[in-house]
Amino acid sequence: MKPKVAFFDFTGCEGCQLDALNLEAEDLIDLLNGIDIVNFREVMTEKADNYDIAFVEGSITTEGEIERVKKIREQAKIVVALGACACIGGINCLKNHVPMEEALRIVYGKDAHYYNTIPARPADAVIKVDYYVRGCPPATSELVKVIKALLLNKKPDIPNYPVCVECKMAGNICVYEKGQTCLGPVIRAGCNAVCINSGRYCWGCRGLVDEPNIESQKDILTKYGLTAEQVIEKFKIYDTCSEVLK
Amino acid sequence: MNESSVLIIESDPIVRDSLCEWLKSTGFDVTCAESAEGIVKIVEKRDFNIAIMDVRLHGETQLAILREMKAIRPWIKSIIITAYPQEETVLEAKKIGIVDYVVKPIDLDDLQRIIHGTIESIYKDNINAINIESSVESSTEDLIPGIKKSFAISRDNLALMVENLLKETEVVGVKAKQGKYVYDKISGFYELSLDYDVTVSPPTRYLLPERETLLKFRTDNNHRIEPVIKYTPRVIMGVHPYDIKAIELLDEVFMTHNPDPNYIARRENTVIIGVDCLRPSPGSFAPSMGTNWTETGFDLLLTDIGNSYIIKIGTERGAEILAKYAKYRLPTGDEIVRQKKVRGEALSRYKLALDIPRDRIPKILEDSYDEPYWESRSISCLSCGSCVMVCPTCYCFDVRDEIALNLKDGERFRCWDGCMLVDFAKVASGENFRRDKASRFRHRMFRKGKYILERYGKLGCVGCGRCSSACLAGIASPLEAFNSLADNIRLKEAATRVVQPAKQEQDIYIPEMAEILSVRQLTEKEKVFELKLKSGKQLGHYPGQFVSLSIMGVGEAPLSISSSPLRGKNFELAVRSIGDVTSALHALKAGATVGIRGPFGNGFPLKAFEGRDLLLIAGGIGLFPLRSLIQYVTDRRYDYGKVNILYGCRAPAERVFTDELELWKNSKDIDYHETVDRPCEGWTGNVGVITNLIDKVEIDVKKTMVAIVGPPIMYKFVIEKLKKRDVPDAHIYLSLERRMKCGIGKCGHCQINSIYTCQEGPVFSLTQLRSLREAVL
């Protein structure tokens, strides 16, 4: 019996779902041999409320979304958070730094009173999440890795070490050596240091490792010339700051 | 290829000119002089390979000048020409060290033979010296290798050699990149930076890549498993001596005990062309580690002496390359002097040094195990692994399975792992044997300065300084640690040796297929599997050993063997479902196929147990490995004195092998006692901790040997109790759990201080464990 799989979207750009579809045709066929996709708004009109595995994408930003994600949890045997917004809150959490009324006014202007919103949060702030497919967007290969692990009934090999490990494996010159700063030393690897490989630095989209040494990372950022505010800003983009500020 | 230089000293202009022309026409660089006077000045100014000198009757003046010339440049080979071959003159000349003499009138064939013989002998001296081992030197003076193994090559000819090599093979070399240096494939000599200071990551990645497939498999009924040994023949150009020393350490690790076929294939197809480091990086302390020069480990080694290079042959392969691809010549004495000079200058450029001789590092570490230094220094450690990822001597790895989306085809691969990462020593049950930063930090320094040295005879740090520049927290430098911890006790460093690969019997990573013959449920979470190797061979284990069980696509897990080797060809593995592999194993039924590697480890000391009273103590699933010994002992009951078995469980429902427990209980040959911590309704047996049972046993401390297997917490209390009964440490044996990944003493996960649990363990005497502080009892 193939497991029934559903994809649900909450607040986000839906890029993660799009990326999920970015499989080679051959792999897609193999994937569909292993699972039945029963609910995936972005690609199909059919809908079924009977599923075993639910992928939830996006962060939770309204009361309605809280109810909806709770229902999904009740139905699904396994819930997987898909992408940075669902896993750690992500970019949506930038609004949490201003009062909600202010956020509504900035976005919707004079129509703000039509809408309501709550501070953005990751899926696991509301429900229990079994697995995480991290990243903004997650690498298709990582999604596939997690699906394969679920089918084999084993824990997915998602590293609990920082990006530095994969960055060194890639043979990169450290971002700090170039006089810039980077969140690599505290952010969970698994991305193969893709941003640094392409000449950028780590923004933190995969969230913190289990035991990040935040104090040391702050010291290093300060040593490399950042002010305390800039350090927080650095962690803000994907909301690793809420963990950092704890 | 001959650019050898000759000096002719001949007063007769006809002889002189004809000799000069003839030699020039055969390709020599020739300098002529009329008389012996003034020769000293010429020789002082420039160097020659050969001097041909006319010696007149008696010839005291010429011989004196010959002596003087020899004193300035002792390597110049002299040939004398004489019309008066008087015995004493020739004898005197031979004393000075002439090669030969020619009698006037000169027979050119004769002279040609002598000159060629001389050139050949210079070349032969070089070749013969190739395989002669020389020890690592300690002073600059000794470090300079003699002329015998070295040649000179111009920069243009070196470029030509590289271009020639590029036509036939991949060449990796050091390139400048964003103000740093990196190893990368090159497409031309112009890309090389041979005067670099240090590269960001070491060249060892070409021998031990960050990810490498070991096996390919298909998980259908046939369980096809194939080894994957992939390598690209390549030349690595411009390796510094400290990295060459690091490669020699890897050779020791991967080519001797349990030879690693993947590493060996790659190593044997890698040519190493070294280059002396003349512009050390500010973080390097190679001279303190004895790694700034090397006499071994390279095929060819270059020293940049300005407009040319001294090129030294290290192996026959190196000699072949030089002969085949390059134009080279004998170095002049000037060039040798120049090499000495540039090396001396390089030595003075190092900014960092050990405050103590390096042979004291192990003792310093040993005496510093409990220093607060580890704790205080590692507070800022990010556990980011940067230090180990850029280290040329770090080789620890993880082994994992990756399966295709069809869930059939897959590969088992290894990838870099490091002891500084949080989960490195974590086992499936969640126990982490090196949980805190300080213990990981200390472990790394001990590997660098002590453990690796003790195991392989070579220090685990070559002083390249990469870790300290990669460490953002600024704490990774072994130099800083060793200097901080320095004290006054000396230890002798083991000698170095050239590594030859051990004989490979079979690929150490390929599991043998075994069939599950039966599955029996023991408790809710535990089952026992009866297995048989498909080859029909017996497993050939000893009680207390373990195997690595593979479920292709899921992974490999170490499992202790639960049955006695005396009970037939089949063997049993009792298993708790706790991690990926064990859960997957629990889902399998009789008839299924699994992979087995092993048996691994030492097992219980059967010889030491013979004729003794035995006290066998098991806690919980500690009975799984101990059952193997109990079965063995009951099958050879006459070999032992009194046998006491103690078994403790948390609850009656967790008791395993209940039918056998019943047998032992009713046996007249065995005293069996058991207890549970939390009784259930209907339990009529003992209640309480296992240590209470020890009180029930008579112990003759002289005769009794104890074997204990259980959770770590049980060891602590059982040992306390046994010590109260005066049982000596040497009579107490324990089996330890650690994360055993490769089973062959390489991957590093199961290390307890200096030992590998999968090799020297898992069974240890308490005496042994007392010296292993990480074993925490």
Side-chain angles (χ1 to χ4, degrees):
Chain A
M1 194 55 186
K2 289 197 275 186
K4 293 188 173 64
V5 176
F7 286 81
F8 299 100
D9 42 30
F10 291 84
T11 302
C13 70
E14 300 191 10
C16 305
Q17 293 184 66
L18 202 62
D19 214 70
L21 298 165
N22 203 9
L23 272 178
E24 297 291 329
E26 216 173 287
D27 288 341
L28 193 61
I29 291 164
D30 278 337
L31 179 70
L32 294 174
N33 279 333
I35 60 172
D36 266 335
I37 297 179
V38 299
N39 204 328
F40 199 157
R41 189 185 57 79
E42 205 167 274
V43 284
M44 54 198 260
T45 43
E46 298 88 347
K47 269 189 201 172
D49 286 328
N50 178 20
Y51 44 83
D52 307 303
I53 301 169
F55 283 86
V56 297
E57 181 216 46
S59 41
I60 308 299
T61 62
T62 66
E63 295 289 350
E65 284 184 338
I66 291 180
E67 293 317 307
R68 209 175 125 231
V69 78
K70 278 183 177 168
K71 281 213 177 94
I72 291 167
R73 176 74 266 188
E74 277 168 29
Q75 171 59 39
K77 291 192 189 94
I78 293 167
V79 174
V80 184
L82 177 62
C85 294
C87 291
I88 56 173
I91 287 178
N92 294 313
C93 295
L94 282 172
K95 76 168 179 182
N96 298 357
H97 301 278
V98 296
M100 286 305 106
E101 304 77 50
E102 176 76 0
L104 283 173
R105 198 188 53 74
I106 295 168
V107 177
Y108 300 107
K110 62 180 170 52
D111 299 326
H113 62 282
Y114 288 114
Y115 300 92
N116 208 347
T117 192
I118 58 171
R121 63 204 70 187
D124 65 5
V126 182
I127 56 163
K128 178 180 174 285
V129 169
D130 300 296
Y131 298 106
Y132 298 84
V133 182
R134 294 167 184 276
C136 178
T140 316
S141 59
E142 186 155 331
L143 173 67
V144 169
K145 191 192 236 180
V146 170
I147 292 174
K148 284 190 296 198
L150 291 176
L151 292 174
L152 287 170
N153 199 16
K154 81 180 227 189
K155 280 191 302 292
D157 286 332
I158 306 297
N160 178 32
Y161 47 69
V163 175
C164 293
V165 173
E166 290 175 348
C167 190
K168 296 289 182 296
M169 284 183 183
N172 288 325
I173 295 166
C174 183
V175 171
Y176 286 85
E177 294 240 41
K178 296 190 257 178
Q180 298 161 5
T181 53
C182 174
L183 290 185
V186 288
I187 297 299
R188 188 182 299 268
C191 53
N192 292 321
V194 60
C195 294
I196 304 112
N197 296 351
S198 0
R200 303 291 299 176
Y201 51 85
C202 176
W203 307 66
C205 76
R206 295 176 59 82
L208 298 167
V209 289
D210 284 349
E211 297 170 37
N213 193 338
I214 295 296
E215 283 317 305
S216 183
Q217 174 70 82
K218 282 186 193 166
D219 288 348
I220 289 160
L221 290 173
T222 318
K223 196 171 95 190
Y224 279 81
L226 268 58
T227 61
E229 290 77 40
Q230 283 171 320
V231 169
I232 295 301
E233 281 298 316
K234 195 93 189 161
F235 284 103
K236 234 181 195 174
I237 303 167
Y238 286 98
D239 199 42
T240 35
C241 61
S242 54
E243 285 290 313
V244 171
L245 293 171
K246 255 183 215 169
Chain B
M1 298 211 187
N2 206 326
E3 292 176 32
S4 299
S5 51
V6 182
L7 173 66
I8 300 171
I9 308 125
E10 169 62 69
S11 50
D12 181 342
I14 299 169
V15 178
R16 190 174 66 228
D17 291 348
S18 63
L19 258 183
C20 180
E21 230 154 89
W22 170 68
L23 283 172
K24 271 186 182 163
S25 69
T26 41
F28 287 95
D29 168 14
V30 188
T31 304
C32 293
E34 249 176 74
S35 67
E37 292 80 21
I39 284 304
V40 173
K41 278 198 177 135
I42 295 178
V43 173
E44 263 173 356
K45 267 192 205 139
R46 62 160 298 192
D47 193 24
F48 299 93
N49 295 119
I50 298 174
I52 301 173
M53 184 188 258
D54 175 36
V55 177
R56 276 168 256 171
L57 185 62
H58 306 303
E60 280 92 0
T61 332
Q62 285 99 347
L63 288 181
I65 285 164
L66 198 61
R67 254 184 229 108
E68 220 171 314
M69 193 170 79
K70 267 284 181 204
I72 304 168
R73 297 189 191 273
W75 48 82
I76 296 180
K77 308 275 184 191
S78 323
I79 299 165
I80 58 171
I81 309 168
T82 178
Y84 320 93
Q86 281 178 322
E87 209 172 319
E88 55 266 41
T89 315
V90 172
L91 240 137
E92 192 54 36
K94 279 192 172 166
K95 265 192 208 159
I96 299 168
I98 61 157
V99 180
D100 214 335
Y101 67 97
V102 183
V103 182
K104 275 186 183 175
I106 299 168
D107 176 349
L108 279 187
D109 284 345
D110 204 23
L111 184 59
Q112 186 171 25
R113 183 182 51 77
I114 292 171
I115 291 176
H116 280 176
T118 308
I119 298 286
E120 213 167 276
S121 79
I122 297 173
Y123 180 76
K124 263 194 196 150
D125 282 350
N126 281 298
I127 299 296
N128 287 342
I130 288 168
N131 291 318
I132 298 168
E133 255 307 275
S134 54
S135 60
V136 176
E137 305 85 338
S138 50
S139 77
T140 348
E141 223 49 52
D142 297 335
L143 288 173
I144 310 307
I147 186 173
K148 289 195 168 173
K149 298 182 196 174
S150 298
F151 295 91
I153 186 166
S154 66
R155 196 175 158 81
D156 288 346
N157 281 334
L158 183 65
L160 189 71
M161 180 180 101
V162 172
E163 299 298 339
N164 284 339
L165 281 167
L166 272 167
K167 283 178 202 154
E168 289 178 27
T169 184
E170 180 178 308
V171 180
V172 159
V174 178
K175 287 181 185 177
K177 186 182 170 187
Q178 297 166 358
K180 300 273 160 193
Y181 295 98
V182 295
Y183 277 97
D184 199 359
K185 244 166 88 166
I186 59 157
S187 51
F189 181 77
Y190 68 94
E191 287 185 285
L192 280 175
S193 297
L194 286 173
D195 62 344
Y196 69 102
D197 53 0
V198 68
T199 57
V200 172
S201 97
T204 44
R205 67 186 310 134
Y206 292 99
L207 298 170
L208 211 55
E210 67 275 16
R211 187 191 196 280
E212 132 172 63
T213 307
L214 295 174
L215 308 173
K216 273 202 189 312
F217 56 81
R218 191 175 170 85
T219 60
D220 52 17
N221 292 335
N222 297 325
H223 273 84
R224 190 170 48 79
I225 300 178
E226 283 168 10
V228 179
I229 299 176
K230 252 179 143 174
Y231 58 85
T232 311
R234 65 166 68 90
V235 173
I236 308 183
M237 183 81 196
V239 184
H240 276 167
Y242 51 79
D243 280 335
I244 291 173
K245 288 288 169 204
I247 290 168
E248 286 191 302
L249 171 65
L250 297 188
D251 290 350
E252 198 76 57
V253 175
F254 286 94
M255 291 174 34
T256 58
H257 183 58
N258 284 330
D260 184 300
N262 297 59
Y263 179 88
I264 291 172
R266 214 169 278 120
R267 181 69 175 92
E268 288 181 339
N269 284 282
T270 304
V271 172
I272 292 173
I273 301 182
V275 63
D276 273 335
C277 177
L278 303 179
R279 203 163 61 86
S281 76
S284 175
F285 50 98
S288 293
M289 307 314 277
T291 59
N292 53 326
W293 316 125
T294 181
E295 291 290 315
T296 52
F298 54 84
D299 295 293
L300 292 168
L301 179 75
L302 297 160
T303 313
D304 186 346
I305 52 165
N307 37 22
S308 59
Y309 290 85
I310 297 291
I311 189 161
K312 181 166 178 174
I313 298 174
T315 61
E316 270 176 44
R317 184 164 63 176
E320 278 165 26
I321 286 177
L322 200 59
K324 187 172 169 196
Y325 298 101
K327 275 188 160 185
Y328 60 97
R329 58 180 166 76
L330 290 167
T332 62
D334 251 359
E335 287 171 323
I336 296 294
V337 170
R338 180 99 191 106
Q339 182 185 36
K340 201 166 178 168
K341 189 160 167 272
V342 295
R343 284 179 162 187
E345 284 164 3
L347 200 59
S348 67
R349 289 193 191 107
Y350 287 91
K351 296 197 168 58
L352 302 175
L354 273 175
D355 297 340
I356 38 136
R358 64 177 174 278
D359 56 15
R360 273 175 46 199
I361 297 170
K363 180 66 180 154
I364 285 160
L365 287 171
E366 195 179 306
D367 294 344
S368 312
Y369 196 83
D370 296 318
E371 285 296 310
Y373 174 82
W374 309 112
E375 184 75 43
S376 61
R377 191 68 182 149
S378 63
I379 287 173
S380 57
C381 177
L382 293 151
S383 304
C384 71
S386 292
C387 52
V388 292
M389 293 292 141
V390 299
C391 176
T393 66
C394 276
Y395 55 81
C396 292
F397 57 85
D398 197 6
V399 180
R400 298 208 286 263
D401 284 9
E402 174 92 58
I403 199 156
L405 255 175
N406 64 18
L407 301 185
K408 285 200 179 79
D409 298 304
E411 59 174 35
R412 176 161 294 172
F413 65 94
R414 72 165 148 212
C415 56
W416 293 354
D417 202 349
C419 61
M420 292 300 280
L421 303 177
V422 175
D423 292 343
F424 185 75
K426 193 171 171 182
V427 294
S429 63
E431 180 98 32
N432 190 340
F433 291 99
R434 228 171 274 118
R435 186 175 290 123
D436 57 306
K437 292 199 288 275
S439 65
R440 294 192 292 267
F441 180 70
R442 178 178 60 198
H443 185 69
R444 171 171 170 267
M445 292 301 179
F446 268 68
R447 276 184 69 93
K448 300 292 112 184
K450 185 171 193 294
Y451 298 155
I452 287 178
L453 173 69
E454 286 167 355
R455 211 171 177 81
Y456 297 108
K458 294 179 160 86
L459 270 165
C461 174
V462 293
C464 68
R466 288 188 181 96
C467 56
S468 50
S469 52
C471 179
L472 291 170
I475 56 168
S477 168
L479 179 81
E480 194 271 346
F482 300 154
N483 277 347
S484 303
L485 298 165
D487 79 0
N488 300 314
I489 307 153
R490 285 183 165 273
L491 247 190
K492 201 82 195 115
E493 186 182 333
T496 57
R497 66 180 178 117
V498 174
V499 181
Q500 296 297 327
K503 197 168 150 249
Q504 293 179 60
E505 280 170 11
Q506 60 193 54
D507 191 317
I508 48 176
Y509 296 110
I510 300 185
E512 209 182 325
M513 286 302 124
E515 187 187 342
I516 300 179
L517 299 174
S518 69
V519 184
R520 197 148 54 93
Q521 191 90 35
L522 293 173
T523 68
E524 194 192 330
K525 279 191 292 185
E526 285 121 16
K527 288 180 178 179
V528 59
F529 298 83
E530 185 189 8
L531 292 117
K532 188 178 151 186
L533 294 178
K534 288 201 167 174
S535 62
K537 276 190 291 189
Q538 195 150 1
L539 182 64
H541 70 284
Y542 294 104
Q545 284 192 298
F546 69 96
V547 292
S548 279
L549 180 133
S550 273
I551 296 188
M552 304 314 285
V554 181
E556 220 177 12
L559 299 172
S560 56
I561 304 157
S562 304
S563 57
S564 160
L566 301 177
R567 299 199 177 182
K569 274 191 172 176
N570 308 339
F571 59 99
E572 288 183 336
L573 303 174
V575 182
R576 171 178 285 178
S577 168
I578 192 156
D580 290 333
V581 177
T582 50
S583 311
L585 177 63
H586 267 240
L588 295 180
K589 297 195 170 56
T593 301
V594 294
I596 295 288
R597 285 193 306 127
F600 295 131
N602 58 354
F604 291 101
L606 298 175
K607 272 266 165 264
F609 283 7
E610 264 175 34
R612 305 295 194 114
D613 289 354
L614 299 182
L615 173 56
L616 311 176
I617 306 174
I621 56 171
L623 192 62
F624 289 167
L626 199 65
R627 176 175 175 256
S628 174
L629 179 66
I630 295 172
Q631 283 189 347
Y632 186 90
V633 167
T634 50
D635 289 348
R636 308 185 55 152
R637 185 64 192 85
Y638 45 85
D639 279 347
Y640 305 94
K642 280 194 287 182
V643 175
N644 270 289
I645 301 172
L646 310 181
Y647 179 41
C649 265
R650 272 186 303 192
E654 292 180 14
R655 293 164 77 238
V656 293
F657 294 114
T658 46
D659 44 347
E660 270 163 88
L661 302 182
E662 208 57 33
L663 273 176
W664 300 339
K665 200 182 201 168
N666 297 327
S667 164
K668 285 179 199 140
D669 294 337
I670 296 169
D671 274 326
Y672 172 76
H673 302 279
E674 67 175 323
T675 183
V676 298
D677 295 352
R678 294 191 304 264
C680 63
E681 221 170 291
W683 175 256
T684 54
N686 295 312
V687 175
V689 290
I690 194 158
T691 42
N692 297 343
L693 296 180
I694 297 174
D695 297 330
K696 294 179 192 285
V697 181
E698 264 181 53
I699 300 175
D700 178 345
V701 292
K702 285 204 180 113
K703 275 172 69 186
T704 306
M705 303 297 276
V706 189
I708 322 168
V709 192
I713 184 76
M714 185 188 103
Y715 287 150
K716 183 173 162 16
F717 292 108
V718 167
I719 289 167
E720 265 173 32
K721 197 78 172 186
L722 291 172
K723 293 316 286 179
K724 273 188 199 149
R725 302 283 298 269
D726 294 326
V727 181
D729 286 356
H731 288 195
I732 302 173
Y733 285 85
L734 305 96
S735 178
L736 296 196
E737 183 191 16
R738 282 298 183 275
R739 182 175 170 198
M740 286 172 287
K741 193 81 212 181
C742 73
I744 49 170
K746 304 224 186 294
C747 79
H749 289 92
C750 70
Q751 201 173 356
I752 308 175
N753 297 124
S754 60
I755 65 99
Y756 284 86
T757 314
C758 72
Q759 302 288 293
E760 289 88 4
V763 178
F764 298 95
S765 75
L766 190 52
T767 318
Q768 286 173 295
L769 289 181
R770 296 272 190 221
S771 66
L772 295 177
R773 307 216 238 174
E774 277 191 322
V776 194
L777 293 166

